[in-house]
Amino acid sequence: MNYKNLGNTDLKVSTICLGTMTYGEQNTEKEGFEQMDYALDNGINFFDTAELYSIPAKKETYGKTEQIIGNWFGERKNRKKVILASKVSGPGLKWIRGGGNQFDQKNINEAVDNSLKRLQTDYIDLYQLHWPERKTNCMGRLGYVHKEDNNWNNFEEILSILEKIIKSGKIRYIGLSNETPWGLSKFLEISKIKKLPKMMSVQNPYNLLNRTYEVGLAEISIREQSGLLAYSPLAGGYLSGKYRNGKFPEKSRYKLFGNYFPRYKSDIDAKAIEEYYKIAKENNLNFAQMALKFCEIQSFVTSTIIGSTTMEQLKSDIDSVNVQLNESVIKQINYVQSIYPNPSP
């Protein structure tokens, strides 16, 4: 396994992070335990979850993933071996604390305390804001339409609230998710000016079909030591090749919940996927492993978050750390990107 520092901390996280959002929906507790055991035994020390999970987000499954992880900690007595990341949900879901502003003192404290109970731990290593409170073009929405809104994030207030929780020992470090270049730079600016905690990471989508992070956020990540935790590195499974030619295997995410995941379904996506698949085949590479390794080797990426529903998938994904992409393969990948630039932002 490979490791990098989380932000400018001395905390070394595995460059493959175990994503857990399927636990409690597509994966049973027993299957989740098996995945976590295998991941830890194979060098993965970084797990990511959220209060919102399982996915798809539903009131009935809210918090289930954290509960399964907590039960695993309770049985294995190994909490100190894992660097644990979780998230407080953003606004909009009425069944999570009324759905309004989630980043005020009352709601953040309640979210942290409830996550700690479900996770059966007294601290979370990395606590992330799941999506912005303000109205902006995140989660695949192109084009920014400005609307004056007095209910925007108060960045300084949020950082001050999180600072108090850090001082209490309940969380160690903080990060963002589904954030824009302006949002990350604003948080970093205020943390410097006001001497408040720094955002150590940004968890955004990044894969061969969506390299938009490179445009504005990559430079910030490198210069400010606030790296990307790349989610959806396999584009929801499309970059494993299993959905080629319109086939959707039984129990796969898109077979079960296709309407919930609208990305990666366009004709342009399909053409790009075929070209990337050809590169893997011509170079005797496993398609999924090639896609994962491409993410892992980017200088602005701290860790690549994998999510698997089967042990076969998990083992193959973790083995991607041993894959080498030569200069020729990188050039071929970049050529396809130039023809089909970011078909699924």
Side-chain angles (χ1 to χ4, degrees), residues 1-4 12-19 35 38-40 42-48 82-83 228-230 233-234 288-297 301-308 313-323:
M1 184 54 61
N2 303 313
Y3 301 87
K4 287 186 179 180
K12 289 195 175 293
V13 298
S14 50
T15 55
I16 298 290
C17 173
L18 181 65
Q35 285 195 17
Y38 184 85
L40 192 61
N42 284 271
I44 292 181
N45 68 349
F46 193 23
F47 293 6
D48 179 74
V82 175
I83 297 168
L228 172 63
L229 307 181
L234 292 180
Q289 290 179 345
M290 182 187 80
L292 289 171
K293 192 65 180 184
F294 181 82
C295 296
E296 186 197 359
I297 62 177
V301 172
T302 298
S303 190
T304 300
I305 303 171
I306 61 169
S308 305
Q313 292 169 348
L314 182 68
K315 291 174 181 179
S316 177
D317 289 354
I318 293 175
D319 281 346
S320 68
V321 297
N322 299 313
V323 170

Side-chain angles (χ1 to χ4, degrees), residues 40 44-46 73 77-83 123:
L40 192 61
I44 292 181
N45 68 349
F46 193 23
F73 284 144
K77 310 299 181 187
N78 59 1
R79 172 66 186 90
K80 291 183 179 180
K81 294 182 178 181
V82 175
I83 297 168
Y123 70 99

